[in-house]
Amino acid sequence: KKVSKIESIKLSQTTFYYNGEAQTPEKAVIKDAEGNSLKLGTDYDFDYASGSFSAKVGTYKIKIVFKGKYSGSKTLSFKIVPAMVKTIKATATTTSVTLKWNKAGGATGYRVYRYDTKAKKWVKVKSSTKETTYTIKGLKAGTAYTFAVKPYYKSGDTVVWSKYTQFETATAPETPKVTGTSNSVKTANLSWNKVSGATGYVVYYSKEKNGTYTKIEAVKTT
C-alpha cells in the first residue's frame, strides 16, 4: 500500500478571540507531495479527545490524525487571546484627550498608544492600566491625533496580547480673542485672530451677559 507524504500542514485558524466559550479549529490546510489538498473526514480527522481545550485565554494543542492513503498524526497549536476593544470615545480639551473604551473580555489590562506621524510608528503613552479610561496630556491645541488601545492578559510571567483598536480624534482649538465695533444701534462688526488648527468659526449672540446664546453665522476659514 502506497502512503503519500504530507508536504505542508497548518490550521485554517490559529488565533481566536475570547468569547467566554471553549473554541477549537474546525479545519486544516494540508497538501501532500503531489500538491493534492486533503479533505476532512476522508483524509484526516481531528482527535478532539486528546486536545487541551478551555474557554480561557491561553495556548492549546489539537491533534490531527491521518487516514485512508495517509498515515500518522500531527499535533498543532492554537491560542485564545483577549477580545478586541469594540468602541472608543473621546473627550478633548485644548491640551488633552481623555479616551474611554469598553471592557474587553479576557483582558487583565490595556496599553495605550499614540501614532507618531513624523516617525511613522506607534508610540507607547501608557504601558499598563487596568482601567478603561485614560487621559493623554501635553498635546497641541487644534491638532488631529490617532490613538490605539491594545488589551492583554497577564498571568505570572506570561503575557498574551490582543490586536489594537485605532481611534482618530482632535484636541479643541484655542479660544480666539474677539473685538467688536458698532456704527449704529442695529449693526456690529466683529473680528478675531486666526486660531491654529481651526477649520471654521461659529458666531453667537446674546441680549444679556451670561444669557442664552443663539447661533447666527458659521464662518469657514480659507
Side-chain angles (χ1 to χ4, degrees), residues 27-116:
K27 292 183 180 181
V29 180
I30 309 172
K31 289 188 177 182
D32 63 19
E34 285 74 39
N36 300 310
S37 297
L38 276 66
K39 296 181 179 180
L40 177 63
T42 302
D43 303 313
Y44 74 94
D45 285 317
F46 283 109
D47 184 5
Y48 292 103
S50 64
S52 57
F53 309 122
S54 174
K56 297 181 180 179
V57 173
T59 301
Y60 303 96
K61 294 182 178 181
I62 187 169
K63 187 177 182 181
I64 297 175
V65 180
F66 299 103
K67 63 182 185 178
K69 65 177 182 179
Y70 304 95
S71 65
S73 63
K74 180 72 173 180
T75 300
L76 299 177
S77 298
F78 67 95
K79 60 183 178 180
I80 297 177
V81 302
M84 293 177 63
V85 168
K86 293 183 179 179
T87 58
I88 300 177
K89 296 181 180 180
T91 304
T93 68
T94 54
T95 58
S96 69
V97 170
T98 299
L99 301 176
K100 187 175 183 180
W101 58 89
N102 66 290
K103 186 176 180 180
T108 58
Y110 307 88
R111 178 175 287 182
V112 182
Y113 297 85
R114 175 179 62 82
Y115 188 73
D116 189 329

Side-chain angles (χ1 to χ4, degrees), residues 24-222:
T24 59
E26 296 180 353
K27 292 183 180 181
V29 180
I30 309 172
K31 289 188 177 182
D32 63 19
E34 285 74 39
N36 300 310
S37 297
L38 276 66
K39 296 181 179 180
L40 177 63
T42 302
D43 303 313
Y44 74 94
D45 285 317
F46 283 109
D47 184 5
Y48 292 103
S50 64
S52 57
F53 309 122
S54 174
K56 297 181 180 179
V57 173
T59 301
Y60 303 96
K61 294 182 178 181
I62 187 169
K63 187 177 182 181
I64 297 175
V65 180
F66 299 103
K67 63 182 185 178
K69 65 177 182 179
Y70 304 95
S71 65
S73 63
K74 180 72 173 180
T75 300
L76 299 177
S77 298
F78 67 95
K79 60 183 178 180
I80 297 177
V81 302
M84 293 177 63
V85 168
K86 293 183 179 179
T87 58
I88 300 177
K89 296 181 180 180
T91 304
T93 68
T94 54
T95 58
S96 69
V97 170
T98 299
L99 301 176
K100 187 175 183 180
W101 58 89
N102 66 290
K103 186 176 180 180
T108 58
Y110 307 88
R111 178 175 287 182
V112 182
Y113 297 85
R114 175 179 62 82
Y115 188 73
D116 189 329
T117 54
K118 291 184 178 180
K120 295 183 178 181
K121 65 178 183 180
W122 289 101
V123 178
K124 179 175 59 180
V125 295
K126 181 64 176 177
S127 60
S128 177
T129 176
K130 293 183 179 180
E131 303 298 325
T132 56
T133 182
Y134 183 71
T135 300
I136 302 96
K137 301 179 180 179
L139 303 177
K140 186 178 179 181
T143 305
Y145 290 94
T146 301
F147 300 99
V149 179
K150 192 174 186 179
Y152 67 85
Y153 170 84
K154 184 176 182 181
S155 178
D157 296 330
T158 301
V159 180
V160 180
W161 292 93
S162 183
K163 289 186 177 180
Y164 59 78
T165 301
Q166 295 181 216
F167 183 79
E168 296 181 3
T169 186
T171 50
E174 294 180 346
T175 302
K177 295 180 181 179
V178 183
T179 58
T181 59
S182 178
N183 298 324
S184 69
V185 294
K186 294 184 178 181
T187 62
N189 299 316
L190 302 178
S191 63
W192 56 87
N193 63 299
K194 186 176 181 180
V195 176
S196 177
T199 58
Y201 305 86
V202 181
V203 181
Y204 297 84
Y205 84 98
S206 175
K207 294 181 179 180
E208 299 178 359
K209 184 178 181 180
N210 300 324
T212 301
Y213 282 83
T214 302
K215 174 183 174 180
I216 58 175
E217 187 68 33
V219 182
K220 292 184 178 180
T221 59
T222 56

